[in-house]
Amino acid sequence: MSDEKTAKRRVTLRDVAQAAGVSLKTASNVINGSGRMTDETRAKVESVIKDLDYRVNVAARNLNRDHTGFITLAVPSLIPPYLAELANRTIEAARQRNYSVYVTTYAEGSAKGARDLLKKFNSTVSDGMILSMSEVENISPDDLKVDFPLVIVGARTTWGIVDHVTPDDVSAAAMAAGYLYERGSTRLAVIGARDVYDEDALLNAVEGNAQLRLRGIIEETRRRGLSLDPQLIGNTDQDWTIGAGARVTQRLIDSGVPFDGVIALNDQLAIGALTALRTAGYEVPAQVQVIGFDNNEEAPYLQIPLTTMDSRLDWTAPTAVNRILGRIDGSITKPELLTTESQVIARASTR
């Protein structure tokens, strides 16, 4: 009976050290791939580990290191293609750094929103959080003064309190508008505004995808001595779906106000706009050019492949992961705003 119990006993790191004739510290260094020793010693310990079928006690190791090996990615939803791709790219970037990711969603603008998530963060299961903050969250500076590593991604301000990783939406939108103007458009419609159109207020916008992109469009339009017609600003509230894009574009068509270019503030809206335009008999891009944002997976495969602004998730996800891990290991201590430029991905919906 005692032999049977011994056989079932979990092999410990001390057992490995004793069997290999090395110190506990040396055995631990082999497990963690650290420390200095001869190749012969390392090979001997590794052989004992294999022979004894030693399994690392992950919970104990993390406790000793004061790290869990996990980070949290919090997003408002995984339905929008942009957020789903953000999650996938964050997981991959973390995996390359030997970290795992918990992905969680929160109820936008509710008692169970981002503020609640920040208050209830559990540092025993995750070392830090990357938060994609919804535009409808009522977040204050005090909410971001947390005692755990935090990185914000997206178009919300962080008041310089925590790291903020985001493409430059103003610059990207100006580039999109300029691209259409340079190809002959003179009267632009915009699909995806989220409030009553107030040009002066938008020119002072400091956060929000819709607000910052509209600001960039307005600035570029003014630089060219032109103006936007408020009747051609399509308000979709918080709905940036294909259906919203189609419905609002149809309303603009029905208004009879002429336009020869559409800037949709994401690709889903742009797909809806393309559908409404073609249904109404418009030729794209001969009569109306269309450009979107985010370069969603389906954009190149539409009947009229969609010109769009690069989302730069290839930069955002790894940059956010690098920042959060730097925060966790203490190599990064000062909050920074990190931005990057976008680029036009030209396809058949523009000339």
Side-chain angles (χ1 to χ4, degrees):
M1 180 70 72
S2 61
D3 288 344
E4 188 174 320
K5 286 184 178 180
T6 300
K8 292 181 178 179
R9 182 177 66 86
R10 183 187 182 96
V11 176
T12 67
L13 185 60
R14 189 174 300 279
D15 296 330
V16 171
Q18 290 176 347
V22 299
S23 68
L24 194 61
K25 177 64 174 175
T26 297
S28 176
N29 285 342
V30 173
I31 293 295
N32 293 309
S34 61
R36 295 183 178 180
M37 67 194 74
T38 65
D39 292 342
E40 181 181 0
T41 298
R42 190 177 296 277
K44 183 177 181 180
V45 175
E46 289 173 346
S47 176
V48 169
I49 289 170
K50 183 177 180 181
D51 291 344
L52 295 182
D53 194 26
Y54 173 71
R55 295 287 184 270
V56 177
N57 186 332
V58 176
R61 183 174 69 176
N62 288 339
L63 186 62
N64 291 333
R65 289 179 173 178
D66 198 29
H67 290 160
T68 67
F70 283 84
I71 56 177
T72 297
L73 172 66
V75 296
S77 170
L78 286 171
I79 295 175
Y82 175 89
L83 293 176
E85 186 179 354
L86 171 65
N88 287 333
R89 287 183 179 270
T90 300
I91 291 167
E92 180 57 30
R95 182 182 292 126
Q96 292 176 10
R97 300 286 300 276
N98 296 315
Y99 252 77
S100 299
V101 179
Y102 290 123
V103 179
T104 187
T105 60
Y106 57 88
E108 297 176 85
S110 75
K112 295 296 182 182
R115 178 179 288 170
D116 185 65
L117 207 62
L118 291 168
K119 286 181 179 178
K120 295 182 178 179
F121 179 79
N122 187 346
S123 61
T124 66
V125 298
S126 177
D127 296 329
M129 180 189 294
I130 298 173
L131 172 62
S132 175
M133 193 156 40
S134 162
E135 295 188 25
V136 301
E137 289 297 306
N138 184 21
I139 293 291
S140 72
D142 286 342
D143 294 322
L144 299 183
K145 295 174 182 177
V146 296
D147 59 0
F148 57 86
L150 175 65
V151 172
I152 303 295
V153 298
R156 293 295 301 273
T157 185
T158 65
W159 300 278
I161 295 170
V162 296
D163 286 309
H164 186 192
V165 178
T166 180
D168 187 335
D169 270 324
V170 176
S171 173
M175 193 180 301
Y179 192 81
L180 295 191
Y181 285 133
E182 288 165 6
R183 283 153 184 78
S185 292
T186 59
R187 291 184 57 81
L188 297 185
V190 180
I191 309 298
R194 287 179 162 164
D195 209 338
V196 175
Y197 184 66
D198 183 336
E199 191 160 290
D200 290 334
L202 287 166
L203 285 169
N204 292 303
V206 296
E207 65 175 351
N209 288 122
Q211 294 89 335
L212 294 177
R213 290 174 184 176
L214 271 164
R215 174 183 156 188
I217 295 166
I218 295 166
E219 288 178 352
E220 182 63 24
T221 299
R222 287 190 171 189
R223 276 193 289 268
R224 293 172 181 268
L226 301 171
S227 60
L228 295 177
D229 187 335
Q231 298 177 89
L232 293 176
I233 307 302
N235 191 327
T236 61
D237 294 319
Q238 301 301 320
D239 188 354
W240 276 16
T241 61
I242 293 173
R247 289 190 297 272
V248 170
T249 302
Q250 187 59 54
R251 285 206 298 268
L252 296 184
I253 293 169
D254 293 342
S255 74
V257 179
F259 58 93
D260 54 13
V262 172
I263 300 179
L265 299 186
N266 79 349
D267 283 352
Q268 301 296 94
L269 293 169
I271 293 170
L274 284 172
T275 300
L277 288 167
R278 296 193 70 222
T279 300
Y282 285 84
E283 293 183 13
V284 177
Q287 291 177 279
V288 180
Q289 300 186 86
V290 179
I291 190 168
F293 280 80
D294 297 342
N295 191 30
N296 288 350
E297 182 181 6
E298 60 266 41
Y301 305 107
L302 303 173
Q303 193 165 11
I304 301 176
L306 176 64
T307 295
T308 183
M309 300 304 298
D310 190 353
S311 67
R312 294 311 315 274
L313 282 171
D314 61 325
W315 171 86
T316 301
T319 300
V321 169
N322 289 341
R323 294 300 294 187
I324 199 71
L325 296 186
R327 286 284 181 178
I328 291 167
D329 66 26
S331 62
I332 297 174
T333 57
K334 184 180 178 181
E336 288 188 53
L337 168 63
L338 294 95
T339 65
T340 190
E341 296 295 315
S342 185
Q343 61 181 349
V344 176
I345 299 176
R347 300 192 180 101
S349 67
T350 54
R351 296 193 281 270

